[in-house]
Amino acid sequence: MGNLMGIINTVESSQILREMTLHRPLATVPFGGKYRMIDFILSGMVNSAIDNIGILAPYQHRSLLDHLRSGRDWQLGRKKDGLTLLPPPYDPKEKGFEFDWHHFHSNLDFLQKSRQEFVIVASAGVIGNFDFSLPFRFHTEVKADITCLYQKQPSGDQDCPNCILLDIGNDNRVTAIQFNPSQGDNTNFFLGMFMLRKGLLIQLIQTCFAENAADCLFRVISNHLQQLKVYAYLYPGHIARIHCLHSYYRHSMDLLDPQIWRELFQPGKIYTKSKDEAPAKYVGQAKATNALVAGGCSIKGTVDHSILFHRVIVDEGTHIKNSILMPNTAVAKNACLEHVICDKDVRISAGICLKGSRENPLFLKKGTVI
């Protein structure tokens, strides 16, 4: 799809995952043992033959730079097109700069100079195995101004709070857009992804800048719904929306279901930054059951229904159950963790027992020592 470029919007609230997103954007939160959340949407674009991708960066984007580097791990380190990090506006304290459209406006020249005619705008907060070729075909065949990707969710689904829902007519036209609905029967959950002509996107961004009255770019689309031909495309497959710590824990643990794992990691390959770690090492009485264990780990205890990122150490007599341990976590002898999320570089001393619940997992922030 040489005529389609991608924009990944990583501008999210720093409070979305509490302490986990205070020092890093949601896009670089570790997920699935060895990935970052942005890997899924970025890989989906690459697998859809989108060669020109801009990453709209938030103010705290050091981890984004460290993870993406030149884009080579996603086959985007190239002389023509490739991966471009779009920096935030200069002064973060000025009113209005917290809105995503201001980030779009400060990088307007990137859009204007790109050779592609169409753009897909997507969020890094939704995880799936994406293929944009069929939505793009639909968009061009119906000659839509804008095509929004959505998925049907059960009424009252846990991922619907603070989401955007679409009212859709029989001809797939979007008739209304609901922001943060409290309740109702609408189950058309907007995935935060839409495609349109580049010229229209530029026009909408300039409208946001001129009116200075919207809190996000998609709000302007909602305000001009009657003037635009906005269509909805039902996207199939497993989708995970990460919008709070509980949803992060729930969707992470879902990966231990083989069926969900296959839907997220097949058929399109998910690319990530290469770590070149040695295989995980199991010593003595080590035992691992239904677990994702990344390279570089050292296991001497028991790991049950858990996810361990690279270079995690589990010492003798220790039991890890229903937990997520991020890189460089070390758990000493005879400890026990259940329903716990450890951010990077956490140290748990010998004999310590920590327990949360599935509904309210215990979270230990980066560098915690207990």
Side-chain angles (χ1 to χ4, degrees):
M1 293 191 292
N3 205 21
L4 180 65
M5 61 180 291
I7 297 287
I8 299 177
N9 184 0
T10 69
V11 181
E12 301 270 3
S13 166
S14 61
Q15 305 292 327
I16 192 167
L17 296 187
R18 302 183 349 202
E19 291 94 339
M20 203 187 301
T21 46
L22 286 181
H23 61 278
R24 63 162 82 91
L26 180 65
T28 57
V29 167
F31 188 84
K34 66 175 185 178
Y35 302 93
R36 302 297 177 111
M37 285 181 56
I38 194 173
D39 292 336
F40 293 84
I41 185 63
L42 189 55
S43 298
M45 290 187 177
V46 170
N47 292 333
S48 303
I50 298 174
D51 299 328
N52 185 21
I53 301 174
I55 309 292
L56 209 62
Y59 295 110
Q60 290 185 318
H61 56 267
R62 186 201 57 77
S63 64
L64 204 56
L65 286 169
D66 177 64
H67 183 65
L68 298 174
R69 298 181 292 187
S70 67
R72 186 182 60 181
D73 292 308
W74 293 265
Q75 305 169 23
L76 290 169
R78 56 183 67 191
K79 293 180 179 178
K80 188 176 182 181
D81 292 335
L83 187 72
T84 303
L85 191 81
L86 307 175
Y90 177 72
D91 186 357
K93 295 179 181 178
E94 187 168 327
K95 186 178 180 181
F97 278 11
E98 66 272 28
F99 304 143
D100 66 350
W101 58 264
H102 225 130
H103 294 245
F104 279 100
H105 189 267
S106 66
N107 291 285
L108 211 55
D109 59 335
F110 172 72
L111 285 168
Q112 291 167 333
K113 292 178 181 177
S114 295
R115 60 185 175 82
Q116 289 80 10
E117 184 181 0
F118 296 90
V119 186
I120 178 167
V121 179
S123 163
V126 178
I127 288 174
N129 195 296
F130 298 106
D131 180 355
F132 298 111
S133 55
L134 290 179
F136 184 55
R137 182 186 301 173
F138 170 85
H139 177 78
T140 53
E141 284 179 351
V142 300
K143 298 180 180 178
D145 289 326
I146 298 171
T147 297
C148 303
L149 276 60
Y150 77 102
Q151 198 169 66
K152 287 190 174 295
Q153 300 282 340
S155 181
D157 185 85
Q158 298 177 73
D159 283 344
C160 280
N162 302 317
C163 67
I164 298 175
L165 299 179
L166 307 177
D167 290 344
I168 303 171
N170 293 331
D171 57 352
N172 290 322
R173 285 283 294 268
V174 177
T175 56
I177 298 174
Q178 303 176 40
F179 290 83
N180 306 321
S182 56
Q183 58 182 1
D185 297 328
N186 191 337
T187 60
N188 301 321
F189 166 62
F190 175 52
L191 297 180
M193 305 173 191
F194 58 95
M195 51 183 64
L196 68 174
R197 287 186 182 276
K198 183 179 69 177
L200 177 58
L201 177 60
I202 292 172
Q203 181 183 333
L204 291 171
I205 294 169
Q206 290 173 330
T207 300
C208 285
F209 190 78
E211 296 179 352
N212 195 23
D215 58 356
C216 66
L217 181 62
F218 200 69
R219 181 83 70 176
V220 173
I221 295 174
S222 174
N223 294 343
H224 294 79
L225 203 56
Q226 301 304 317
Q227 293 80 44
L228 298 168
K229 288 195 298 183
V230 181
Y231 280 80
Y233 181 88
L234 179 61
Y235 196 86
H238 181 81
I239 295 291
R241 175 176 174 252
I242 309 298
H243 59 92
C244 65
L245 191 64
H246 177 242
S247 67
Y248 171 80
Y249 177 76
R250 181 164 53 86
H251 287 302
S252 294
M253 302 310 287
D254 282 348
L255 292 176
L256 298 174
D257 180 331
Q259 177 63 30
I260 292 178
W261 189 92
R262 280 192 290 271
E263 287 192 40
L264 272 181
F265 291 96
Q266 296 174 356
K269 182 178 179 181
I270 305 299
Y271 301 92
T272 189
K273 177 182 175 181
S274 175
K275 293 292 185 183
D276 297 328
E277 297 279 2
K281 183 170 63 177
Y282 298 86
V283 180
Q285 301 301 313
K287 182 179 179 183
T289 306
N290 194 24
L292 288 178
V293 180
C297 289
S298 176
I299 313 296
K300 295 180 181 177
T302 301
V303 179
D304 181 17
H305 199 260
S306 296
I307 298 172
L308 274 57
F309 287 74
H310 59 271
R311 295 197 297 275
V312 168
I313 297 173
V314 178
D315 216 329
E316 294 176 7
T318 286
H319 191 179
I320 310 297
K321 184 176 182 182
N322 297 325
S323 296
I324 301 169
L325 276 54
M326 293 188 188
N328 304 313
T329 294
V331 188
K333 292 182 179 180
N334 302 318
C336 53
L337 304 183
E338 184 172 355
H339 295 295
V340 175
I341 303 172
C342 294
D343 206 332
K344 295 172 65 174
D345 305 321
V346 168
R347 297 287 183 270
I348 308 292
S349 302
I352 296 290
C353 284
L354 301 172
K355 186 174 182 179
S357 66
R358 180 172 174 79
E359 293 72 28
N360 190 22
L362 177 65
F363 175 70
L364 302 179
K365 67 180 182 180
K366 181 179 179 181
T368 297
V369 178
I370 297 179

